[in-house]
Amino acid sequence: MSTSADSSDIEEGLKFRPKFDATGLVTCVATDAGSGEVLMVAHMNDEALRKTISSGEAWYYSRSRQSLWRKGESSGHTQRVVEMRLDCDQDAIWIRVEQAGAACHTGRRSCFYRAVTSDDGGARLSFVDADRLFDPAKVYR
């Protein structure tokens, strides 16, 4: 159980104490350091977070593969971390990166290439900024 002193230390203190979820992960949002464009959202475990901090390159944890991975290890489309920030309660990470090539495994610059619009009480998707920078079938074979 946390106390108000703990909350104050987490929210106002300078101790780095990331709060991982029950599965040992913390959400990370990566944006382009120059433009501010949101590139992707992924997860980090403790090891990925430590490797990102020590190497200056983005490392993540794949929930589907249950493994650690360095961004760009297959595609060559790496992320150099320019700045890392932690949110107020230390349960989300924001990294500003210099993205080499595409951030999305679909070959697009950003993973956020579809807009959601209202459609007769429901929702519809439309492509925006959806040009592919590479063919994923050739890169990921």
Side-chain angles (χ1 to χ4, degrees), residues 54-98:
S54 66
S55 71
E57 293 186 69
W59 285 78
Y60 300 105
Y61 184 82
S62 170
R63 294 179 298 173
S64 60
R65 294 187 309 263
Q66 297 287 298
S67 64
L68 192 69
W69 59 284
R70 182 179 56 84
K71 180 65 178 162
E73 66 189 346
S74 298
S75 67
H77 296 236
T78 59
Q79 292 177 340
R80 187 181 78 74
V81 178
V82 172
E83 181 181 33
M84 178 183 284
R85 294 189 188 188
L86 212 56
D87 78 334
C88 57
D89 53 1
Q90 298 200 35
D91 67 356
I93 295 170
W94 169 29
I95 55 175
R96 295 177 54 241
V97 301
E98 289 178 346

Side-chain angles (χ1 to χ4, degrees), residues 33-45:
S35 69
E37 175 187 20
V38 178
L39 299 173
M40 60 182 280
V41 174
H43 297 88
M44 292 180 171
N45 63 3

Side-chain angles (χ1 to χ4, degrees), residues 116-125:
V116 180
T117 54
S118 178
D119 186 22
D120 272 337
R124 179 172 43 98
L125 297 177

